[in-house]
Amino acid sequence: MLDDMLGYMENMREFPVWQVIPNEVRARFREDLPVQPTPLANVHAEFMTSILPFAARNAHPGFLGWVQGGGTAVGMLAEMLAAGLNANVGGRDQIPLEVEKQVTHWMRSLFHFPPAASGLFVTGTSMANLLAVLLARDVRLGPDVRRRGVASCAQKLTAYASVAVHGSIGRALDFAGLGSGALRLIAVDSRQRIDLAALEQAIRADRTRGFTPFLIIGTAGTVDTGAIDDLDGMAALGARYQLWFHADGAYGALAMLAPELAPRLQGIERADSLAFDFHKWAQVPYDAGFILVRDGERQQQAFASSCSYLMREQRGMSAGSPWPCDLGPDLSRGFRALKTWATLKVYGMNAIGAVIQRSCELARYLERRILGSTELELMAPVELNIVCFRYRFAEEKLADQLNRQIVIQLQESGAVAPSTTTIGGRLWIRAAVVNHRTSQAEMDTLVAATLAAGRVLRWAQQPQWQPWRERDSRRQRLDVLLDPASNLRQDVAVALHFERATLLAEMGHNLEARGDYLKVLELDPAHRLNLFGLGRLLVSMGHRKAAQMVYAEAVKYYPDDVALRVNLGSVLLETDHPAEARSHYERALALDPEFPQAHGGMYYALTRLGEPERARLHQEKAFAANALFPSPYRGDGEPIPVLLLVSSTGGNTPIEKLVDERIFQTYVVVADFYDTKTPLPLHRLVINGIGDCDAAGHALRAAESLLAFTAAPVLNHPTAVRATGRCENASRLQALPGIHAPVMVTFPYALLAGQDGAATLAGRGFSFPLLLRTPGFHGGQHFVRVESVAELGDGLAELGGSRAAAGEVTAIEYLDARGADGWVRKYRVMMVGGRLYPLHLAISKQWKVHYFSADMRDRPEHREEEAKFLADMPGVLGERAMAALERLLATMRLDYGGIDFAVNQKGEILLFEANATMVVEQPDEDPRWDYRRAGVERIHAAVRDLLLTGAGVLPGPIAALDLP
């Protein structure tokens, strides 16, 4: 059990912040009272499967909705010790009371209260506020009110706090018999702090009207915005009017531990009572509230009572008076002080103060991100650690409802969980940064996810596109016709389900479309168009293996169908089966020698199989007749037309996966075959998807020429990409401080394979071991390490069979990236719109590190290290490495690209690759990858921002590339 919980806390980022509780899980907690015993192992298993996964995970770094601390392993272990001790600390002479007294002493010292001050652990600040109200009431009405009751008193007591005060104050007045109506809510200034002039005016007015003001409440960190009232001014006003001054410092009071924040709490030391929680900023596990009272005798007068069974003595177990039950309502009390005492002892005040300071810095970082976006609105300047903002919608009357939907979507996503609040009659998204695990990554995720959700909702408010309306109207008609009660003939049902599947696929409702396609498959397994449509849908959803099975079944029914053969070949090619794909392309061309898609597939299959000469024979036939291909548009609003430039020779970045087909109508242009006499389709943006200049240099030059025929903005300008070849990068990036770019030289294969090969390498400064690679390949393909001169021939031979033997080979200086522990750590960071985003970390003993061959899935310690990198890239890499990456980003001048690198013990970058070829995809559904999903979505959101900005939908046009 202990291992489970320690592992849970250690790997918190691998879990969602929150998830919906399935009905079957809820049902397990509707069972009758157990009569027979259940083995502890079974109960523990039920906890792990039915309780732990469905808690509101406030210990998660993405939990931002309410002011709740994250807890620590130290606190958890101390709670276990307290449970084992099973001490009732309501009274009696026992050491747990001394622990509570020590914490009280520490708090007196921290808040500069006098030695006579008393303190008490309670459930939380809500209870502490109630005790303070009772204290203030009794001081004003006299201790006899405890016997006579409030009803016997003629005085009508009134209390005062700002409109931003916590709701527990009104409830406390209610519980104290004074009524919540006794609370006067005072206006606040522009920073949400109580207006002292208005406060004094209200006190005077009530006195004139016959009321008896008795209590003013100052807030140190309001629940909505984190505002801190002028506590010093309130203390002075309280002294002037002889009012009890209570400070509600639920979480803000402990800002005293952060030297930069403590001065803002000036005046808190003058409070008559102070309420706060250790389970918030001090990170103590729930619950651990506390009240500190300036005059300990008054606290005893308010709560102590004599009972014969609680007789006190000078010696024995009944010694040690006063007891905690004399300072509050509880006689049965748990040992809350132990987990607080242990937390303060183990971590120390400085470390806790640093956490508090850091959370406020993160809030200010979030504030800057919000101010930097024209789509987001900041409610007020950030005071402490709470940020209130919202997405701007054109329809203000719908803004509250839509922002509420955004928050629900974010919570259900499991990545981040903010909450909502209402200030000034408007609903705001509220993010409270309290957890010590929270990092800049969660702030970025919150902004990106809010923008993404807001744009989808904003887009949904647009007038529906006429073609979409027509499709939706027909879909609704089909829903009626397919009513289960209709008792349709099988052939009619097949036709209607197929039509509905096709419509749903066109509208982007993939899951529903799949259901109808599968229904047709059940009714008519040989339906040709259904097999064709289902396969295409599965490919678009990323289910290539399933699509392969569908197409394989289809060609059994229709062995001479050219289109089905080509589609099966394409799926086989995507799943890295070029030889099988080739056989289907050959069969298709035997049936139709001029079928361009079959020639295109054959070209790529032969290229992958190392037969470039034969491949080129098919290239011309594939693209000469048509080099423009529209992609499906599945949105319900007017589409944004964009051009996507690609190369026929490969070297393309699969960026189309990031171009949302619900927003963009994409026209794919094969740049190296496009006839410039043919007018380009209307478009608002050009996306250059040609990423590898070593493999597609000719296509990049063609793309440059094509851009003369458009005035639209261009993402990843071909000229910028042409400067990112392996050898070009090595040459220009070597001069950047903090970066070690390996020497790279491309040679004719025959030269290195000849008898002077070793001498040629030595003449260019190479030593062994070194790396050899065939230009134009990535991901470890055609890439070898040669240990010595004697192995050079074998290394070159290993590259043979690819195009290397007939062309070129690149020699690369070997950079030993092993750490002190012998492991190689390869980081990948994406460049999007001038910012750096962490994508993944692969850890391996092998020199050739590829993420999915680095056995990360089966090494939890490596996944934990990767999670830390994703959460805090600057902290993991260090200032020197981050500065080097920023210089590299500025030098590359790419709108979109990636960097693969290691970091040596000096904090310098060992550069492996930096180019525009890298794509970002969500990991598979294995829950072990859950911690990676938020980072991937952050990058996807950044790309969406980039595309929408480039298309002119969002403000901030892309700056023109300054090219020579």
Side-chain angles (χ1 to χ4, degrees):
M1 291 182 180
L2 187 57
D3 284 346
D4 282 340
M5 293 313 296
L6 289 171
Y8 168 74
M9 298 181 78
E10 189 175 19
N11 300 301
M12 186 67 66
R13 277 190 169 84
E14 296 188 13
F15 297 90
V17 182
W18 180 80
Q19 56 186 325
V20 176
I21 305 171
N23 290 334
E24 59 269 22
V25 173
R26 288 188 191 274
R28 293 172 196 158
F29 298 94
R30 305 290 189 269
E31 297 173 355
D32 293 336
L33 178 69
V35 176
Q36 298 300 322
T38 304
L40 178 60
N42 293 7
V43 175
H44 176 230
E46 186 171 4
F47 169 84
M48 294 300 294
T49 58
S50 300
I51 297 177
L52 183 144
F54 303 107
R57 221 177 301 276
N58 57 348
H60 194 287
F63 185 94
L64 303 167
W66 295 268
V67 182
Q68 299 183 18
T72 66
V74 169
M76 181 187 75
L77 294 172
E79 190 83 303
M80 181 186 73
L81 296 177
L85 195 59
N86 196 31
N88 178 1
V89 292
R92 283 155 288 276
D93 191 14
Q94 53 175 322
I95 205 65
L97 270 65
E98 298 302 321
V99 175
E100 185 160 344
K101 289 176 183 177
Q102 179 165 58
V103 175
T104 299
H105 168 68
W106 288 342
M107 294 304 102
R108 276 197 301 259
S109 174
L110 177 65
F111 291 105
H112 308 292
F113 270 47
S118 56
L120 184 74
F121 273 94
V122 291
T123 54
T125 295
S126 293
M127 177 57 72
N129 284 339
L130 172 59
L131 301 193
V133 168
L134 293 170
L135 261 165
R137 181 201 68 181
D138 291 4
V139 168
R140 174 60 62 183
L141 299 179
D144 197 43
V145 71
R146 295 180 60 192
R147 181 184 62 80
R148 293 185 291 107
V150 175
S152 67
C153 301
Q155 299 179 63
K156 294 180 290 185
L157 302 187
T158 52
Y160 306 82
S162 84
V163 293
V165 74
H166 193 271
S168 62
I169 295 295
R171 296 175 66 202
L173 289 162
D174 175 15
F175 297 160
L178 304 175
S180 59
L183 179 62
R184 307 296 194 248
L185 296 177
I186 309 302
V188 294
D189 61 18
S190 61
R191 293 174 57 186
Q192 301 296 300
R193 301 173 305 176
I194 194 168
D195 184 331
L196 288 182
L199 171 60
E200 186 167 11
Q201 184 179 357
I203 293 170
R204 287 178 173 179
D206 274 340
R207 281 187 166 182
T208 302
R209 294 162 54 206
F211 290 95
T212 303
F214 81 109
L215 169 66
I216 55 174
I217 301 101
T219 303
T222 59
V223 67
D224 281 327
T225 66
I228 301 174
D229 288 334
D230 181 352
L231 302 178
D232 210 28
M234 294 189 75
L237 195 149
R240 188 158 63 249
Y241 289 93
Q242 297 183 332
L243 308 178
W244 185 277
F245 172 36
H246 173 63
D248 177 354
Y251 74 92
L254 286 179
M256 287 290 287
L257 296 172
E260 294 183 26
L261 301 174
R264 299 174 61 185
L265 294 168
Q266 183 177 346
I268 201 168
E269 73 283 355
R270 300 173 64 184
D272 293 300
S273 54
L274 168 62
F276 61 94
D277 290 323
F278 289 108
H279 56 231
K280 290 186 170 71
W281 252 345
Q283 312 298 325
V284 174
Y286 274 81
D287 51 41
F290 199 80
I291 184 170
L292 196 60
V293 180
R294 174 172 298 279
D295 188 336
E297 286 191 12
R298 284 182 164 175
Q299 187 172 7
Q300 288 185 57
Q301 289 173 4
F303 296 104
S305 60
S306 60
C307 300
S308 59
Y309 54 86
L310 295 177
M311 188 74 67
R312 313 302 164 84
E313 303 290 351
Q314 295 299 312
R315 296 168 52 201
M317 289 182 68
S318 295
S321 184
W323 292 351
C325 65
D326 300 323
L327 304 176
D330 294 324
L331 178 57
S332 298
R333 301 175 71 243
F335 193 3
R336 295 187 184 96
L338 183 63
K339 58 191 173 186
T340 306
W341 175 83
T343 299
L344 299 177
K345 290 273 284 186
V346 171
Y347 297 108
M349 297 297 197
N350 290 344
I352 297 172
V355 167
I356 292 170
Q357 182 68 43
R358 172 64 175 158
S359 65
C360 293
E361 290 169 358
L362 286 172
R364 289 194 291 273
Y365 170 78
L366 177 58
E367 177 185 39
R368 292 193 297 273
R369 289 295 316 274
I370 292 165
L371 291 173
S373 171
T374 57
E375 296 175 79
L376 301 177
E377 178 184 359
L378 185 71
M379 183 266 162
V382 171
E383 295 289 335
L384 281 177
N385 64 326
I386 295 179
V387 186
C388 291
F389 68 103
R390 61 196 238 149
Y391 190 90
R392 298 179 190 269
F393 289 97
E395 291 288 334
E396 182 63 31
K397 63 183 180 181
L398 296 176
D400 285 1
Q401 174 189 341
L402 295 173
N403 275 285
R404 187 177 289 111
Q405 288 184 44
I406 288 174
V407 169
I408 292 171
Q409 288 180 30
L410 296 185
Q411 292 172 353
E412 291 180 343
S413 76
V416 286
S419 62
T420 61
T421 190
T422 300
I423 304 172
R426 303 169 78 196
L427 183 133
W428 299 88
I429 300 172
R430 175 176 174 270
V433 187
V434 186
N435 194 328
H436 60 94
R437 301 178 182 89
T438 302
S439 70
Q440 187 172 306
E442 281 71 41
M443 303 299 98
D444 290 337
T445 297
L446 175 61
V447 171
T450 301
L451 289 171
R455 285 165 189 165
V456 171
L457 290 173
R458 185 184 65 185
W459 207 257
Q461 305 310 306
Q462 302 296 317
Q464 289 180 338
W465 191 39
Q466 180 61 30
W468 190 93
R469 288 202 302 270
E470 293 172 358
R471 291 172 186 158
D472 193 49
S473 176
R474 178 57 183 166
R475 178 194 60 79
Q476 292 180 40
R477 177 60 181 157
L478 288 171
D479 290 347
V480 173
L481 294 174
L482 285 166
D483 188 306
S486 300
N487 197 24
L488 298 171
R489 291 199 325 265
Q490 180 170 319
D491 60 331
V492 175
V494 166
L496 294 177
H497 276 292
F498 174 71
E499 184 183 356
R500 187 174 186 272
T502 304
L503 278 173
L504 289 168
E506 290 173 351
M507 296 169 72
H509 301 320
N510 291 345
L511 291 176
E512 292 178 76
R514 184 175 64 179
D516 278 288
Y517 278 130
L518 292 174
K519 183 64 177 178
V520 176
L521 189 66
E522 175 190 334
L523 296 172
D524 184 0
H527 193 296
R528 175 184 173 277
L529 292 178
N530 186 70
L531 292 166
F532 190 89
L534 176 57
R536 187 164 54 184
L537 178 72
L538 291 170
V539 169
S540 73
M541 296 175 70
H543 304 320
R544 293 177 180 83
K545 288 290 186 184
Q548 179 182 327
M549 294 172 61
V550 169
Y551 284 135
E553 193 67 19
V555 297
K556 290 180 184 177
Y557 289 115
Y558 307 100
D560 294 336
D561 190 295
V562 175
L564 288 173
R565 287 278 180 186
V566 169
N567 283 9
L568 177 55
S570 298
V571 174
L572 288 166
L573 200 58
E574 288 187 34
T575 54
D576 204 25
H577 295 90
E580 292 180 59
R582 172 183 180 172
S583 67
H584 290 285
Y585 292 134
E586 287 175 337
R587 179 67 182 271
L589 288 172
L591 295 166
D592 184 350
E594 301 303 320
F595 199 74
Q597 290 88 341
H599 282 290
M602 197 67 170
Y603 165 69
Y604 292 119
L606 291 171
T607 299
R608 293 272 291 276
L609 292 168
E611 301 181 41
E613 295 302 324
R614 292 192 61 195
R616 276 192 283 273
L617 297 175
H618 295 276
Q619 184 182 17
E620 182 78 20
K621 294 181 178 180
F623 303 109
N626 183 24
L628 176 65
F629 305 93
S631 295
Y633 172 66
R634 307 186 193 280
D636 57 1
E638 191 73 27
I640 300 172
V642 299
L643 300 185
L644 175 61
L645 307 184
V646 300
S647 163
S648 70
T649 60
N652 297 310
T653 306
I655 199 168
E656 70 276 1
K657 296 177 181 179
L658 303 179
V659 182
D660 193 335
E661 60 186 10
R662 297 169 302 172
I663 298 174
F664 298 98
Q665 168 68 70
T666 304
Y667 296 94
V668 179
V669 181
V670 184
D672 45 334
F673 276 92
Y674 188 72
D675 182 356
T676 55
K677 295 177 183 177
T678 304
L680 291 168
L682 291 175
H683 58 279
R684 294 170 63 175
L685 176 67
V686 179
I687 306 166
N688 173 39
I690 309 169
D692 187 345
C693 67
D694 291 326
H698 172 67
L700 283 167
R701 287 188 289 273
E704 287 177 312
S705 300
L706 186 150
L707 292 180
F709 298 91
T710 176
V714 181
L715 293 183
N716 267 13
H717 199 288
T719 304
V721 175
R722 280 212 302 127
T724 63
R726 291 186 189 277
C727 294
E728 290 85 349
N729 266 352
S731 176
R732 68 174 175 152
L733 300 179
Q734 281 173 345
L736 294 180
I739 292 180
H740 287 284
V743 175
M744 295 189 193
V745 180
T746 298
F747 299 94
Y749 182 93
L751 178 60
L752 293 190
Q755 60 182 1
D756 295 327
T760 299
L761 288 167
R764 297 300 295 270
F766 285 98
S767 60
F768 292 87
L770 56 76
L771 309 177
L772 297 177
R773 188 165 207 161
T774 304
F777 286 94
H778 297 272
Q781 295 176 313
H782 307 294
F783 191 23
V784 298
R785 184 170 77 170
V786 180
E787 300 294 336
S788 64
V789 172
E791 296 181 14
L792 179 60
D794 291 339
L796 289 165
E798 191 174 338
L799 291 181
S802 68
R803 71 188 194 193
E808 297 175 322
V809 62
T810 299
I812 306 171
E813 175 190 3
Y814 173 64
L815 299 179
D816 190 347
R818 289 174 296 180
D821 58 359
W823 292 88
V824 177
R825 288 166 173 79
K826 187 177 84 169
Y827 300 91
R828 175 168 290 183
V829 169
M830 301 305 295
M831 304 176 282
V832 183
R835 290 172 57 88
L836 297 169
Y837 296 86
L839 177 58
H840 65 230
L841 163 62
I843 305 173
S844 175
K845 288 283 190 180
Q846 304 300 316
W847 68 270
K848 187 194 297 186
V849 185
H850 188 270
Y851 189 83
F852 293 104
S853 63
D855 67 359
M856 296 289 289
R857 188 188 304 268
D858 298 320
R859 287 190 172 272
E861 72 278 12
H862 288 174
R863 296 198 307 276
E864 179 191 354
E865 187 174 341
E866 182 184 28
K868 290 178 180 176
F869 165 64
L870 297 177
D872 185 15
M873 176 173 64
V876 170
L877 299 182
E879 292 184 10
R880 190 172 188 183
M882 286 302 301
L885 289 174
E886 292 288 351
R887 285 189 285 269
L888 191 151
L889 173 67
T891 302
M892 296 291 289
R893 298 195 298 177
L894 293 174
D895 300 301
Y896 173 90
I899 310 167
D900 282 349
F901 62 95
V903 180
N904 66 16
Q905 295 183 18
K906 297 180 181 179
E908 299 166 325
I909 296 293
L910 303 181
L911 185 64
F912 300 142
E913 286 192 274
N915 54 48
T917 65
M918 303 177 195
V919 73
V920 181
E921 294 188 272
Q922 282 286 9
D924 62 42
E925 296 179 357
D926 189 325
R928 284 175 289 187
W929 299 129
D930 285 349
Y931 68 95
R932 293 188 56 219
R933 303 188 198 285
V936 172
E937 179 50 40
R938 241 186 345 259
I939 298 171
H940 286 183
V943 174
R944 285 193 294 270
D945 283 1
L946 185 67
L947 297 176
L948 290 168
T949 302
V953 176
L954 298 182
I958 297 170
L961 188 63
D962 183 17
L963 298 171

